Amino acid sequence: MNEKIENILTIWHKYFEDETNQYSEFEPSDIEYFVGCMLYNHFAFSKAHHNLKTMDLSYDFLSSCGEYYEEFEKEIASINFENEEQALVFLQEYIQTSKAKYTKPELYLLERMEYHVNAMAARYEKEVDVKKIDFENPLLRK
């Protein structure tokens, strides 16, 4: 994993160890999810659906993350790649590394992000632009 990202995760995990800094429904995996959102937003993928050009950082997280946010946002902004495909691979690897730290019940947000990012990766692979998003549960398709 990228050294800058590791540093951000380490600092925020230490910060959120103090329960007074946590918000209701806090899960340690939230930190990886929100850093993933920050990466996603920084990379501004052109093949993201128009209403998913950015991923929402929840108010609970933003209001609880301390004075670190602006500094970390600058750190993330300094991570650049030659093209979107390289950034996408980086984000996919980040998600996989993050998921390996947690148990299945703790992965809800990371898996949501992974589903969206992998669908976007398929659009890059097939060189198609998104026209609409199919919100049908793929497990229910026949």
Side-chain angles (χ1 to χ4, degrees):
M1 187 178 294
N2 178 288
E3 186 177 314
K4 292 175 184 180
I5 300 300
E6 285 181 16
N7 184 52
I8 290 169
L9 293 172
T10 299
I11 290 170
W12 260 335
H13 275 287
K14 185 171 176 57
Y15 175 79
F16 280 107
E17 281 177 3
D18 181 346
E19 289 184 11
T20 61
N21 294 331
Q22 296 177 7
Y23 47 89
S24 67
E25 309 296 323
F26 173 80
E27 289 285 340
S29 61
D30 292 357
I31 297 166
E32 277 79 5
Y33 171 76
F34 289 115
V35 170
C37 289
M38 293 171 74
L39 287 165
Y40 180 93
N41 292 345
H42 164 58
F43 295 140
F45 296 106
S46 64
K47 294 208 181 285
H49 189 269
H50 67 87
N51 66 352
L52 289 171
K53 289 290 184 187
T54 61
M55 287 193 171
D56 192 23
L57 294 170
S58 90
Y59 178 77
D60 287 345
F61 180 78
L62 288 173
S63 62
S64 301
C65 66
E67 75 275 2
Y68 301 105
Y69 183 77
E70 289 180 14
E71 174 188 341
F72 292 168
E73 190 174 39
K74 288 176 187 170
E75 284 292 305
I76 286 173
S78 72
I79 299 171
N80 294 298
F81 295 93
E82 289 183 28
N83 58 52
E84 290 183 7
E85 289 84 357
Q86 291 174 344
L88 183 61
V89 168
F90 177 84
L91 183 56
Q92 287 177 304
E93 289 172 355
Y94 168 80
I95 292 168
Q96 289 306 309
T97 301
S98 296
K99 284 179 62 180
K101 298 177 183 180
Y102 299 101
T103 63
K104 182 69 174 165
E106 299 168 310
L107 294 177
Y108 175 72
L109 291 174
L110 285 168
E111 286 183 340
R112 271 184 37 189
M113 177 183 286
E114 178 184 47
Y115 179 80
H116 171 66
V117 169
N118 287 346
M120 187 172 54
R123 291 191 294 275
Y124 278 95
E125 185 178 314
K126 294 175 184 175
E127 297 182 13
V128 297
D129 291 324
V130 64
K131 303 290 185 224
K132 70 176 191 133
I133 294 180
D134 179 5
F135 287 104
E136 180 181 338
N137 184 338
L139 299 176
L140 299 178
R141 290 185 193 150
K142 294 190 179 202

